Amino acid sequence: MRRLILLVLVVAAALAAAWLGGETWLAREATRRIADDPQIQAATVTPLRRIDRIGLHLADLKFVTEAGPATLPALDLWAAPTAPTTFHASLPPALTLPGDRALALTGGGMSLRVSPGNGMAIGAAGAKASAVTLDGAPLAEGVDVTATLTPMGGHAPKAARASYRVAGTLTQLVPAALGPVPPALAEAGRIGIDGAAQLYLTGALKPGEETPPRLVGVNSDGVTLQVGAHHARISGHVTADAEGRAAGAAFVDTPDPRGWLDLAAALGAIPAQVVPLATTALRTASGAEVTLPAGIAAPPPPPEGTLRITLIFRDGRSFLGPMPIGPAPLFAP
């Protein structure tokens, strides 16, 4: 028994030495790289020295960008011993953005997981924060976004080589806090987004690549958008056809189509005089029978009192229900 205990102690000491030595090497290497990069400055780079994570603590960090400098009083970069390919960044509660704008947040952090067996492709990424303010004014109650590499499935477009499931929630965003916005948008109220979508790409994302893969398709069971009192749920399956135009179908469920059209007119997106006619056209189209593109099924019926707007993109043309309304838009200009 004594020999077993001694062996455990020796192994533990060796692991601790490798751990501490590894962090020391990381700190030295990070310091060297920062010194060689004119766009990054840090007052100090020190090992974390924590039992639950391996990483570095950077103090008085400054980034030089085209829009101006951004400064962070501190930044922790780390990975858990049990998940060495997942990297985390713990953000400070206050930092300065370009333009000398003060951003404050609670629980801010980012994460990135890479896949060594897949050419160091990004397997997952995420960002979250709550109680976000900008220059002392409320910006958002919270944001939580994740992207995860997932199997493409049978409905993936031919050009797709990878897909990511992006899920997120943005709560109570105040557009006016970001800067000047159209008065109609500021008066409409706060913005919220909640839901998930599968994005089809021509390849998996990789850190540092100069030419990222192209987006060639989107599939979603539903993303809820709220602007003040206006609500809508958007779903569907849309891909890029051979000419790069949208192909597929999208469904917009809303109890307030007139409210959205009034908002669009107030923002200058459509002429105000067409709002009554457009409202009638939406209601007429929503009650008509439509033929969906092959392989696309309509989502479950919306709640009572909710209007479903069906947009179909086929053969380079767009349809509002059964009515042609013009050429299909470019999928990803």
Side-chain angles (χ1 to χ4, degrees):
M1 178 62 70
R2 291 179 60 187
R3 290 185 176 181
L4 179 59
I5 294 175
L6 180 61
L7 177 61
V8 171
L9 291 175
V10 169
V11 172
L15 290 175
W19 192 325
L20 296 176
E23 282 195 327
T24 300
W25 178 85
L26 282 175
R28 187 165 55 246
E29 183 67 12
T31 300
R32 183 187 67 80
R33 289 179 178 271
I34 290 174
D36 293 339
D37 191 337
Q39 294 184 321
I40 305 176
Q41 299 176 16
T44 60
V45 181
T46 56
L48 282 180
R49 298 291 190 249
R50 288 183 51 166
I51 192 66
D52 61 335
R53 59 186 62 173
I54 304 172
L56 304 173
H57 175 80
L58 292 80
D60 295 328
L61 193 62
K62 181 178 181 179
F63 296 92
V64 178
T65 71
E66 293 182 358
T71 59
L72 290 78
L75 178 67
D76 286 352
L77 303 174
W78 55 276
T82 55
T85 60
T86 301
F87 306 97
H88 303 267
S90 299
L91 300 177
L95 54 145
T96 303
L97 299 178
D100 201 30
R101 308 203 68 181
L103 181 70
L105 44 83
T106 300
M110 298 181 290
S111 63
L112 178 71
R113 188 182 77 231
V114 297
S115 176
N118 192 21
M120 300 302 288
I122 296 175
K128 64 178 181 179
S130 61
V132 186
T133 66
L134 187 61
D135 294 333
L139 176 60
E141 287 187 1
V143 58
D144 191 349
V145 182
T146 60
T148 307
L149 187 65
T150 59
M152 291 191 296
H155 294 293
K158 292 181 179 180
R161 296 295 179 270
S163 71
Y164 286 84
R165 183 181 186 273
V166 179
T169 300
L170 175 63
T171 309
Q172 297 293 303
L173 173 69
V174 183
L178 295 170
V181 297
L185 184 59
E187 295 169 1
R190 301 190 174 190
I191 296 175
I193 302 174
D194 181 43
Q198 187 171 13
L199 308 184
Y200 300 102
L201 306 175
T202 53
L205 297 169
K206 297 181 180 179
E209 60 185 341
E210 294 184 1
T211 304
R214 291 183 297 107
L215 178 67
V216 292
V218 178
N219 182 74
S220 176
D221 291 333
V223 174
T224 300
L225 172 64
Q226 175 184 354
V227 180
H230 309 303
H231 297 261
R233 184 171 178 82
I234 305 167
S235 59
H237 182 89
V238 181
T239 63
D241 64 13
E243 297 180 354
R245 295 192 174 276
F251 308 91
V252 181
D253 298 338
T254 177
D256 184 26
R258 177 62 185 260
W260 284 105
L261 291 172
D262 286 337
L263 178 59
L267 293 173
I270 59 174
Q273 58 267 29
V274 307
V275 169
L277 180 60
T279 303
T280 301
L282 290 179
R283 294 192 180 279
T284 301
S286 68
E289 292 290 334
V290 297
T291 300
L292 298 176
I296 296 181
E304 185 176 352
T306 299
L307 183 76
R308 168 161 292 170
I309 302 165
T310 302
L311 294 170
I312 298 174
F313 310 104
R314 181 176 55 229
D315 300 327
R317 302 175 67 193
S318 296
F319 298 83
L320 175 60
M323 299 185 299
I325 55 176
L330 291 173
F331 178 78

